[in-house]
Amino acid sequence: PAPPRAARPGPPQLVPKPGPAPRRPAPAEPRVEVQRIAATPAQAVERADDAVDLLLESGRNPGDILVLTVDEAHPWQQHELSFGEERYWAQLAEGGDVFYADAALTRPVRREVVVLVVNGGPSARAAEAYARALDHATALLVVCGDAGPAAKGAAGTTPGRPGKA
């Protein structure tokens, strides 16, 4: 029979030194894919609407999509606000449909897909909106229009039509 474990010959046992445990690298967050759709400020809302339609046709759930506008509110946002602020914000909390908001949205919301509509405003606001939109997206950011150099040089950026990531 084999000798008990303590009696087995082998390398000496290492005793950990007292002190803080070694740091383990934090798990990497999944990278958000960025797609750009060329549009002038005047075309951006229309291109965003087309993008949302394509996303829905590709199988995305409406509640997975957030549309953010840099300048003037999207017409659908204006329509929803006509029923009152309370009802409008309740739709965000319910999360069952595409939600339209200003890019300066400060409420904590994450959606799989964010469509950023660069429909005017100063370039600094568009660049800030791009950074915020990245924070709101978990899988895909679709930028309709010119959001500045940061959006153009984003790693993983692919021009084209939005699809299922």
Side-chain angles (χ1 to χ4, degrees):
R5 285 194 175 270
R8 283 188 184 171
Q13 299 242 348
L14 298 176
V15 178
K17 293 181 182 179
R23 286 189 181 178
R24 291 189 180 177
E29 287 194 27
R31 174 170 254 155
V32 173
E33 179 184 352
V34 178
Q35 295 182 3
R36 295 185 318 263
I37 298 175
T40 65
Q43 299 168 324
V45 170
E46 184 178 338
R47 296 288 189 277
D49 289 344
D50 292 344
V52 169
D53 289 343
L54 286 168
L55 289 161
L56 294 171
E57 289 169 10
S58 74
R60 294 273 184 193
N61 291 320
D64 293 341
I65 302 171
L66 173 65
V67 178
L68 300 174
T69 53
V70 171
D71 197 36
E72 187 176 321
H74 188 281
W76 191 252
Q77 178 186 0
Q78 293 172 14
H79 170 77
E80 292 299 324
L81 279 167
S82 72
F83 297 106
E85 291 261 340
E86 187 175 316
R87 180 67 199 127
Y88 170 74
W89 291 113
Q91 289 179 355
L92 174 63
E94 292 164 4
D97 205 353
V98 177
F99 191 78
Y100 296 82
D102 186 278
L105 177 70
T106 58
R107 295 182 184 234
V109 60
R110 306 252 307 153
R111 296 270 174 112
E112 277 188 31
V113 180
V114 174
V115 178
L116 179 62
V117 185
V118 186
N119 57 338
S123 59
R125 178 154 154 69
E128 182 181 320
Y130 174 78
R132 288 176 153 229
L134 271 175
D135 288 341
H136 291 298
T138 61
L140 176 64
L141 171 59
V142 179
V143 181
C144 300
D146 183 5
K152 288 181 180 130
T157 301
T158 56
R161 297 163 39 136
K164 200 163 179 120

PDB file of all heavy atoms in Angstrom, residues 21-55:
ATOM      1  N   ALA A  21      -3.245  39.348  -1.127  1.00  0.00           N
ATOM      2  CA  ALA A  21      -3.284  38.327  -2.173  1.00  0.00           C
ATOM      3  C   ALA A  21      -2.884  38.970  -3.497  1.00  0.00           C
ATOM      4  O   ALA A  21      -3.135  40.154  -3.722  1.00  0.00           O
ATOM      5  CB  ALA A  21      -4.679  37.743  -2.278  1.00  0.00           C
ATOM      6  N   PRO A  22      -2.230  38.199  -4.354  1.00  0.00           N
ATOM      7  CA  PRO A  22      -1.863  38.770  -5.656  1.00  0.00           C
ATOM      8  C   PRO A  22      -3.113  39.191  -6.420  1.00  0.00           C
ATOM      9  O   PRO A  22      -4.155  38.547  -6.344  1.00  0.00           O
ATOM     10  CB  PRO A  22      -1.131  37.638  -6.368  1.00  0.00           C
ATOM     11  CG  PRO A  22      -1.365  36.415  -5.569  1.00  0.00           C
ATOM     12  CD  PRO A  22      -1.868  36.822  -4.225  1.00  0.00           C
ATOM     13  N   ARG A  23      -2.995  40.293  -7.155  1.00  0.00           N
ATOM     14  CA  ARG A  23      -4.137  40.789  -7.939  1.00  0.00           C
ATOM     15  C   ARG A  23      -4.331  39.945  -9.185  1.00  0.00           C
ATOM     16  O   ARG A  23      -3.375  39.581  -9.845  1.00  0.00           O
ATOM     17  CB  ARG A  23      -3.908  42.223  -8.372  1.00  0.00           C
ATOM     18  CG  ARG A  23      -4.051  43.201  -7.288  1.00  0.00           C
ATOM     19  CD  ARG A  23      -4.030  44.577  -7.895  1.00  0.00           C
ATOM     20  NE  ARG A  23      -4.135  45.573  -6.852  1.00  0.00           N
ATOM     21  CZ  ARG A  23      -4.100  46.856  -7.075  1.00  0.00           C
ATOM     22  NH1 ARG A  23      -3.966  47.302  -8.301  1.00  0.00           N
ATOM     23  NH2 ARG A  23      -4.203  47.708  -6.095  1.00  0.00           N
ATOM     24  N   ARG A  24      -5.563  39.699  -9.448  1.00  0.00           N
ATOM     25  CA  ARG A  24      -5.909  39.023 -10.692  1.00  0.00           C
ATOM     26  C   ARG A  24      -6.462  40.082 -11.632  1.00  0.00           C
ATOM     27  O   ARG A  24      -7.185  40.974 -11.207  1.00  0.00           O
ATOM     28  CB  ARG A  24      -6.966  37.947 -10.447  1.00  0.00           C
ATOM     29  CG  ARG A  24      -6.405  36.808  -9.663  1.00  0.00           C
ATOM     30  CD  ARG A  24      -7.370  35.673  -9.609  1.00  0.00           C
ATOM     31  NE  ARG A  24      -6.747  34.598  -8.830  1.00  0.00           N
ATOM     32  CZ  ARG A  24      -7.334  33.491  -8.534  1.00  0.00           C
ATOM     33  NH1 ARG A  24      -8.563  33.287  -8.906  1.00  0.00           N
ATOM     34  NH2 ARG A  24      -6.705  32.572  -7.848  1.00  0.00           N
ATOM     35  N   PRO A  25      -6.125  39.967 -12.902  1.00  0.00           N
ATOM     36  CA  PRO A  25      -6.646  40.983 -13.826  1.00  0.00           C
ATOM     37  C   PRO A  25      -8.169  40.933 -13.875  1.00  0.00           C
ATOM     38  O   PRO A  25      -8.768  39.864 -13.810  1.00  0.00           O
ATOM     39  CB  PRO A  25      -6.035  40.602 -15.176  1.00  0.00           C
ATOM     40  CG  PRO A  25      -5.415  39.264 -15.005  1.00  0.00           C
ATOM     41  CD  PRO A  25      -5.318  38.971 -13.540  1.00  0.00           C
ATOM     42  N   ALA A  26      -8.765  42.101 -13.946  1.00  0.00           N
ATOM     43  CA  ALA A  26     -10.225  42.178 -14.042  1.00  0.00           C
ATOM     44  C   ALA A  26     -10.654  41.591 -15.379  1.00  0.00           C
ATOM     45  O   ALA A  26      -9.967  41.752 -16.386  1.00  0.00           O
ATOM     46  CB  ALA A  26     -10.677  43.630 -13.944  1.00  0.00           C
ATOM     47  N   PRO A  27     -11.795  40.904 -15.380  1.00  0.00           N
ATOM     48  CA  PRO A  27     -12.258  40.361 -16.657  1.00  0.00           C
ATOM     49  C   PRO A  27     -12.537  41.504 -17.632  1.00  0.00           C
ATOM     50  O   PRO A  27     -13.072  42.536 -17.248  1.00  0.00           O
ATOM     51  CB  PRO A  27     -13.543  39.613 -16.303  1.00  0.00           C
ATOM     52  CG  PRO A  27     -13.954  40.132 -14.970  1.00  0.00           C
ATOM     53  CD  PRO A  27     -12.721  40.660 -14.300  1.00  0.00           C
ATOM     54  N   ALA A  28     -12.142  41.302 -18.850  1.00  0.00           N
ATOM     55  CA  ALA A  28     -12.344  42.340 -19.869  1.00  0.00           C
ATOM     56  C   ALA A  28     -13.824  42.458 -20.188  1.00  0.00           C
ATOM     57  O   ALA A  28     -14.521  41.466 -20.331  1.00  0.00           O
ATOM     58  CB  ALA A  28     -11.565  41.986 -21.132  1.00  0.00           C
ATOM     59  N   GLU A  29     -14.282  43.702 -20.279  1.00  0.00           N
ATOM     60  CA  GLU A  29     -15.673  43.914 -20.662  1.00  0.00           C
ATOM     61  C   GLU A  29     -15.800  43.634 -22.150  1.00  0.00           C
ATOM     62  O   GLU A  29     -14.873  43.898 -22.913  1.00  0.00           O
ATOM     63  CB  GLU A  29     -16.100  45.351 -20.363  1.00  0.00           C
ATOM     64  CG  GLU A  29     -16.270  45.603 -18.895  1.00  0.00           C
ATOM     65  CD  GLU A  29     -17.008  46.897 -18.638  1.00  0.00           C
ATOM     66  OE1 GLU A  29     -17.804  47.325 -19.495  1.00  0.00           O
ATOM     67  OE2 GLU A  29     -16.792  47.465 -17.567  1.00  0.00           O
ATOM     68  N   PRO A  30     -16.946  43.111 -22.548  1.00  0.00           N
ATOM     69  CA  PRO A  30     -17.112  42.861 -23.978  1.00  0.00           C
ATOM     70  C   PRO A  30     -17.038  44.173 -24.752  1.00  0.00           C
ATOM     71  O   PRO A  30     -17.531  45.198 -24.297  1.00  0.00           O
ATOM     72  CB  PRO A  30     -18.502  42.231 -24.088  1.00  0.00           C
ATOM     73  CG  PRO A  30     -19.149  42.397 -22.762  1.00  0.00           C
ATOM     74  CD  PRO A  30     -18.100  42.761 -21.768  1.00  0.00           C
ATOM     75  N   ARG A  31     -16.395  44.120 -25.878  1.00  0.00           N
ATOM     76  CA  ARG A  31     -16.220  45.305 -26.718  1.00  0.00           C
ATOM     77  C   ARG A  31     -17.530  45.598 -27.463  1.00  0.00           C
ATOM     78  O   ARG A  31     -18.166  44.703 -27.982  1.00  0.00           O
ATOM     79  CB  ARG A  31     -15.099  45.053 -27.708  1.00  0.00           C
ATOM     80  CG  ARG A  31     -14.939  46.157 -28.706  1.00  0.00           C
ATOM     81  CD  ARG A  31     -13.696  45.975 -29.486  1.00  0.00           C
ATOM     82  NE  ARG A  31     -12.798  46.974 -28.960  1.00  0.00           N
ATOM     83  CZ  ARG A  31     -11.502  46.920 -28.986  1.00  0.00           C
ATOM     84  NH1 ARG A  31     -10.905  45.898 -29.501  1.00  0.00           N
ATOM     85  NH2 ARG A  31     -10.770  47.885 -28.508  1.00  0.00           N
ATOM     86  N   VAL A  32     -17.886  46.860 -27.497  1.00  0.00           N
ATOM     87  CA  VAL A  32     -19.071  47.293 -28.220  1.00  0.00           C
ATOM     88  C   VAL A  32     -18.675  47.499 -29.678  1.00  0.00           C
ATOM     89  O   VAL A  32     -17.724  48.214 -29.979  1.00  0.00           O
ATOM     90  CB  VAL A  32     -19.639  48.601 -27.618  1.00  0.00           C
ATOM     91  CG1 VAL A  32     -20.773  49.143 -28.472  1.00  0.00           C
ATOM     92  CG2 VAL A  32     -20.106  48.370 -26.191  1.00  0.00           C
ATOM     93  N   GLU A  33     -19.390  46.859 -30.579  1.00  0.00           N
ATOM     94  CA  GLU A  33     -19.151  47.057 -32.008  1.00  0.00           C
ATOM     95  C   GLU A  33     -19.720  48.417 -32.392  1.00  0.00           C
ATOM     96  O   GLU A  33     -20.799  48.797 -31.949  1.00  0.00           O
ATOM     97  CB  GLU A  33     -19.844  45.963 -32.814  1.00  0.00           C
ATOM     98  CG  GLU A  33     -19.662  46.119 -34.305  1.00  0.00           C
ATOM     99  CD  GLU A  33     -20.428  45.084 -35.114  1.00  0.00           C
ATOM    100  OE1 GLU A  33     -20.985  44.141 -34.538  1.00  0.00           O
ATOM    101  OE2 GLU A  33     -20.487  45.263 -36.340  1.00  0.00           O
ATOM    102  N   VAL A  34     -18.973  49.142 -33.214  1.00  0.00           N
ATOM    103  CA  VAL A  34     -19.423  50.456 -33.671  1.00  0.00           C
ATOM    104  C   VAL A  34     -19.583  50.415 -35.178  1.00  0.00           C
ATOM    105  O   VAL A  34     -18.678  49.989 -35.891  1.00  0.00           O
ATOM    106  CB  VAL A  34     -18.410  51.564 -33.283  1.00  0.00           C
ATOM    107  CG1 VAL A  34     -18.876  52.923 -33.804  1.00  0.00           C
ATOM    108  CG2 VAL A  34     -18.218  51.608 -31.777  1.00  0.00           C
ATOM    109  N   GLN A  35     -20.746  50.834 -35.634  1.00  0.00           N
ATOM    110  CA  GLN A  35     -21.005  50.948 -37.071  1.00  0.00           C
ATOM    111  C   GLN A  35     -21.372  52.391 -37.367  1.00  0.00           C
ATOM    112  O   GLN A  35     -22.099  53.012 -36.600  1.00  0.00           O
ATOM    113  CB  GLN A  35     -22.142  50.019 -37.496  1.00  0.00           C
ATOM    114  CG  GLN A  35     -21.807  48.559 -37.343  1.00  0.00           C
ATOM    115  CD  GLN A  35     -22.934  47.659 -37.809  1.00  0.00           C
ATOM    116  OE1 GLN A  35     -23.959  48.112 -38.306  1.00  0.00           O
ATOM    117  NE2 GLN A  35     -22.744  46.371 -37.656  1.00  0.00           N
ATOM    118  N   ARG A  36     -20.840  52.886 -38.467  1.00  0.00           N
ATOM    119  CA  ARG A  36     -21.137  54.254 -38.876  1.00  0.00           C
ATOM    120  C   ARG A  36     -21.981  54.240 -40.138  1.00  0.00           C
ATOM    121  O   ARG A  36     -21.714  53.469 -41.059  1.00  0.00           O
ATOM    122  CB  ARG A  36     -19.843  55.024 -39.123  1.00  0.00           C
ATOM    123  CG  ARG A  36     -19.016  55.222 -37.875  1.00  0.00           C
ATOM    124  CD  ARG A  36     -17.794  56.087 -38.144  1.00  0.00           C
ATOM    125  NE  ARG A  36     -17.105  55.784 -39.379  1.00  0.00           N
ATOM    126  CZ  ARG A  36     -16.039  54.998 -39.476  1.00  0.00           C
ATOM    127  NH1 ARG A  36     -15.558  54.422 -38.413  1.00  0.00           N
ATOM    128  NH2 ARG A  36     -15.449  54.792 -40.625  1.00  0.00           N
ATOM    129  N   ILE A  37     -22.945  55.127 -40.162  1.00  0.00           N
ATOM    130  CA  ILE A  37     -23.765  55.320 -41.354  1.00  0.00           C
ATOM    131  C   ILE A  37     -23.604  56.783 -41.742  1.00  0.00           C
ATOM    132  O   ILE A  37     -23.934  57.682 -40.959  1.00  0.00           O
ATOM    133  CB  ILE A  37     -25.245  54.977 -41.095  1.00  0.00           C
ATOM    134  CG1 ILE A  37     -25.372  53.497 -40.718  1.00  0.00           C
ATOM    135  CG2 ILE A  37     -26.093  55.318 -42.313  1.00  0.00           C
ATOM    136  CD1 ILE A  37     -26.764  53.068 -40.329  1.00  0.00           C
ATOM    137  N   ALA A  38     -23.078  57.008 -42.937  1.00  0.00           N
ATOM    138  CA  ALA A  38     -22.860  58.376 -43.406  1.00  0.00           C
ATOM    139  C   ALA A  38     -24.192  59.098 -43.539  1.00  0.00           C
ATOM    140  O   ALA A  38     -25.159  58.545 -44.074  1.00  0.00           O
ATOM    141  CB  ALA A  38     -22.125  58.357 -44.744  1.00  0.00           C
ATOM    142  N   ALA A  39     -24.233  60.309 -43.016  1.00  0.00           N
ATOM    143  CA  ALA A  39     -25.444  61.122 -43.111  1.00  0.00           C
ATOM    144  C   ALA A  39     -25.101  62.563 -42.791  1.00  0.00           C
ATOM    145  O   ALA A  39     -24.273  62.830 -41.920  1.00  0.00           O
ATOM    146  CB  ALA A  39     -26.507  60.617 -42.133  1.00  0.00           C
ATOM    147  N   THR A  40     -25.759  63.463 -43.479  1.00  0.00           N
ATOM    148  CA  THR A  40     -25.665  64.870 -43.111  1.00  0.00           C
ATOM    149  C   THR A  40     -26.589  65.061 -41.909  1.00  0.00           C
ATOM    150  O   THR A  40     -27.457  64.207 -41.649  1.00  0.00           O
ATOM    151  CB  THR A  40     -26.115  65.777 -44.263  1.00  0.00           C
ATOM    152  OG1 THR A  40     -27.515  65.539 -44.504  1.00  0.00           O
ATOM    153  CG2 THR A  40     -25.305  65.520 -45.535  1.00  0.00           C
ATOM    154  N   PRO A  41     -26.466  66.178 -41.196  1.00  0.00           N
ATOM    155  CA  PRO A  41     -27.402  66.407 -40.094  1.00  0.00           C
ATOM    156  C   PRO A  41     -28.870  66.340 -40.542  1.00  0.00           C
ATOM    157  O   PRO A  41     -29.717  65.826 -39.814  1.00  0.00           O
ATOM    158  CB  PRO A  41     -27.026  67.802 -39.592  1.00  0.00           C
ATOM    159  CG  PRO A  41     -25.555  67.891 -39.879  1.00  0.00           C
ATOM    160  CD  PRO A  41     -25.397  67.188 -41.213  1.00  0.00           C
ATOM    161  N   ALA A  42     -29.151  66.818 -41.738  1.00  0.00           N
ATOM    162  CA  ALA A  42     -30.534  66.793 -42.246  1.00  0.00           C
ATOM    163  C   ALA A  42     -31.012  65.370 -42.547  1.00  0.00           C
ATOM    164  O   ALA A  42     -32.213  65.095 -42.496  1.00  0.00           O
ATOM    165  CB  ALA A  42     -30.646  67.660 -43.495  1.00  0.00           C
ATOM    166  N   GLN A  43     -30.098  64.459 -42.865  1.00  0.00           N
ATOM    167  CA  GLN A  43     -30.450  63.069 -43.199  1.00  0.00           C
ATOM    168  C   GLN A  43     -30.402  62.127 -41.997  1.00  0.00           C
ATOM    169  O   GLN A  43     -30.889  61.002 -42.083  1.00  0.00           O
ATOM    170  CB  GLN A  43     -29.469  62.507 -44.231  1.00  0.00           C
ATOM    171  CG  GLN A  43     -29.419  63.226 -45.545  1.00  0.00           C
ATOM    172  CD  GLN A  43     -28.224  62.764 -46.373  1.00  0.00           C
ATOM    173  OE1 GLN A  43     -27.151  62.470 -45.841  1.00  0.00           O
ATOM    174  NE2 GLN A  43     -28.410  62.714 -47.686  1.00  0.00           N
ATOM    175  N   ALA A  44     -29.801  62.560 -40.902  1.00  0.00           N
ATOM    176  CA  ALA A  44     -29.495  61.654 -39.791  1.00  0.00           C
ATOM    177  C   ALA A  44     -30.724  60.965 -39.203  1.00  0.00           C
ATOM    178  O   ALA A  44     -30.675  59.765 -38.922  1.00  0.00           O
ATOM    179  CB  ALA A  44     -28.728  62.402 -38.709  1.00  0.00           C
ATOM    180  N   VAL A  45     -31.819  61.683 -39.014  1.00  0.00           N
ATOM    181  CA  VAL A  45     -33.013  61.066 -38.426  1.00  0.00           C
ATOM    182  C   VAL A  45     -33.557  59.986 -39.356  1.00  0.00           C
ATOM    183  O   VAL A  45     -33.896  58.886 -38.910  1.00  0.00           O
ATOM    184  CB  VAL A  45     -34.092  62.126 -38.102  1.00  0.00           C
ATOM    185  CG1 VAL A  45     -35.413  61.472 -37.729  1.00  0.00           C
ATOM    186  CG2 VAL A  45     -33.625  63.031 -36.967  1.00  0.00           C
ATOM    187  N   GLU A  46     -33.612  60.280 -40.639  1.00  0.00           N
ATOM    188  CA  GLU A  46     -34.114  59.290 -41.601  1.00  0.00           C
ATOM    189  C   GLU A  46     -33.217  58.050 -41.621  1.00  0.00           C
ATOM    190  O   GLU A  46     -33.703  56.923 -41.643  1.00  0.00           O
ATOM    191  CB  GLU A  46     -34.187  59.910 -42.996  1.00  0.00           C
ATOM    192  CG  GLU A  46     -34.793  58.980 -44.026  1.00  0.00           C
ATOM    193  CD  GLU A  46     -34.893  59.626 -45.403  1.00  0.00           C
ATOM    194  OE1 GLU A  46     -34.899  60.855 -45.510  1.00  0.00           O
ATOM    195  OE2 GLU A  46     -34.953  58.850 -46.378  1.00  0.00           O
ATOM    196  N   ARG A  47     -31.909  58.252 -41.617  1.00  0.00           N
ATOM    197  CA  ARG A  47     -30.969  57.120 -41.619  1.00  0.00           C
ATOM    198  C   ARG A  47     -31.118  56.304 -40.325  1.00  0.00           C
ATOM    199  O   ARG A  47     -31.047  55.082 -40.343  1.00  0.00           O
ATOM    200  CB  ARG A  47     -29.522  57.601 -41.744  1.00  0.00           C
ATOM    201  CG  ARG A  47     -29.185  58.295 -43.034  1.00  0.00           C
ATOM    202  CD  ARG A  47     -29.125  57.321 -44.216  1.00  0.00           C
ATOM    203  NE  ARG A  47     -28.609  57.963 -45.404  1.00  0.00           N
ATOM    204  CZ  ARG A  47     -29.329  58.698 -46.238  1.00  0.00           C
ATOM    205  NH1 ARG A  47     -30.602  58.902 -45.998  1.00  0.00           N
ATOM    206  NH2 ARG A  47     -28.791  59.236 -47.312  1.00  0.00           N
ATOM    207  N   ALA A  48     -31.336  56.987 -39.213  1.00  0.00           N
ATOM    208  CA  ALA A  48     -31.532  56.292 -37.939  1.00  0.00           C
ATOM    209  C   ALA A  48     -32.814  55.465 -37.969  1.00  0.00           C
ATOM    210  O   ALA A  48     -32.834  54.328 -37.484  1.00  0.00           O
ATOM    211  CB  ALA A  48     -31.567  57.296 -36.792  1.00  0.00           C
ATOM    212  N   ASP A  49     -33.872  56.022 -38.535  1.00  0.00           N
ATOM    213  CA  ASP A  49     -35.132  55.270 -38.644  1.00  0.00           C
ATOM    214  C   ASP A  49     -34.939  54.018 -39.502  1.00  0.00           C
ATOM    215  O   ASP A  49     -35.445  52.942 -39.166  1.00  0.00           O
ATOM    216  CB  ASP A  49     -36.245  56.150 -39.226  1.00  0.00           C
ATOM    217  CG  ASP A  49     -36.719  57.219 -38.257  1.00  0.00           C
ATOM    218  OD1 ASP A  49     -36.426  57.116 -37.042  1.00  0.00           O
ATOM    219  OD2 ASP A  49     -37.381  58.174 -38.717  1.00  0.00           O
ATOM    220  N   ASP A  50     -34.190  54.164 -40.609  1.00  0.00           N
ATOM    221  CA  ASP A  50     -33.882  53.005 -41.458  1.00  0.00           C
ATOM    222  C   ASP A  50     -33.077  51.969 -40.666  1.00  0.00           C
ATOM    223  O   ASP A  50     -33.317  50.762 -40.767  1.00  0.00           O
ATOM    224  CB  ASP A  50     -33.088  53.423 -42.700  1.00  0.00           C
ATOM    225  CG  ASP A  50     -33.904  54.273 -43.671  1.00  0.00           C
ATOM    226  OD1 ASP A  50     -35.149  54.298 -43.569  1.00  0.00           O
ATOM    227  OD2 ASP A  50     -33.279  54.937 -44.531  1.00  0.00           O
ATOM    228  N   ALA A  51     -32.114  52.442 -39.866  1.00  0.00           N
ATOM    229  CA  ALA A  51     -31.288  51.538 -39.070  1.00  0.00           C
ATOM    230  C   ALA A  51     -32.129  50.780 -38.054  1.00  0.00           C
ATOM    231  O   ALA A  51     -31.976  49.564 -37.883  1.00  0.00           O
ATOM    232  CB  ALA A  51     -30.181  52.319 -38.363  1.00  0.00           C
ATOM    233  N   VAL A  52     -33.034  51.474 -37.392  1.00  0.00           N
ATOM    234  CA  VAL A  52     -33.916  50.818 -36.414  1.00  0.00           C
ATOM    235  C   VAL A  52     -34.767  49.767 -37.112  1.00  0.00           C
ATOM    236  O   VAL A  52     -34.913  48.640 -36.610  1.00  0.00           O
ATOM    237  CB  VAL A  52     -34.786  51.852 -35.664  1.00  0.00           C
ATOM    238  CG1 VAL A  52     -35.882  51.165 -34.858  1.00  0.00           C
ATOM    239  CG2 VAL A  52     -33.919  52.715 -34.749  1.00  0.00           C
ATOM    240  N   ASP A  53     -35.313  50.101 -38.276  1.00  0.00           N
ATOM    241  CA  ASP A  53     -36.112  49.123 -39.035  1.00  0.00           C
ATOM    242  C   ASP A  53     -35.285  47.876 -39.356  1.00  0.00           C
ATOM    243  O   ASP A  53     -35.757  46.747 -39.190  1.00  0.00           O
ATOM    244  CB  ASP A  53     -36.647  49.738 -40.333  1.00  0.00           C
ATOM    245  CG  ASP A  53     -37.751  50.761 -40.098  1.00  0.00           C
ATOM    246  OD1 ASP A  53     -38.330  50.786 -38.986  1.00  0.00           O
ATOM    247  OD2 ASP A  53     -38.018  51.554 -41.029  1.00  0.00           O
ATOM    248  N   LEU A  54     -34.040  48.080 -39.812  1.00  0.00           N
ATOM    249  CA  LEU A  54     -33.170  46.941 -40.135  1.00  0.00           C
ATOM    250  C   LEU A  54     -32.848  46.110 -38.898  1.00  0.00           C
ATOM    251  O   LEU A  54     -32.807  44.875 -38.962  1.00  0.00           O
ATOM    252  CB  LEU A  54     -31.881  47.423 -40.788  1.00  0.00           C
ATOM    253  CG  LEU A  54     -32.011  47.904 -42.230  1.00  0.00           C
ATOM    254  CD1 LEU A  54     -30.733  48.617 -42.669  1.00  0.00           C
ATOM    255  CD2 LEU A  54     -32.306  46.737 -43.158  1.00  0.00           C
ATOM    256  N   LEU A  55     -32.617  46.772 -37.789  1.00  0.00           N
ATOM    257  CA  LEU A  55     -32.334  46.054 -36.543  1.00  0.00           C
ATOM    258  C   LEU A  55     -33.525  45.189 -36.129  1.00  0.00           C
ATOM    259  O   LEU A  55     -33.356  44.031 -35.740  1.00  0.00           O
ATOM    260  CB  LEU A  55     -31.973  47.042 -35.436  1.00  0.00           C
ATOM    261  CG  LEU A  55     -30.615  47.717 -35.584  1.00  0.00           C
ATOM    262  CD1 LEU A  55     -30.540  48.973 -34.732  1.00  0.00           C
ATOM    263  CD2 LEU A  55     -29.504  46.743 -35.235  1.00  0.00           C
TER     264      LEU A  55
END
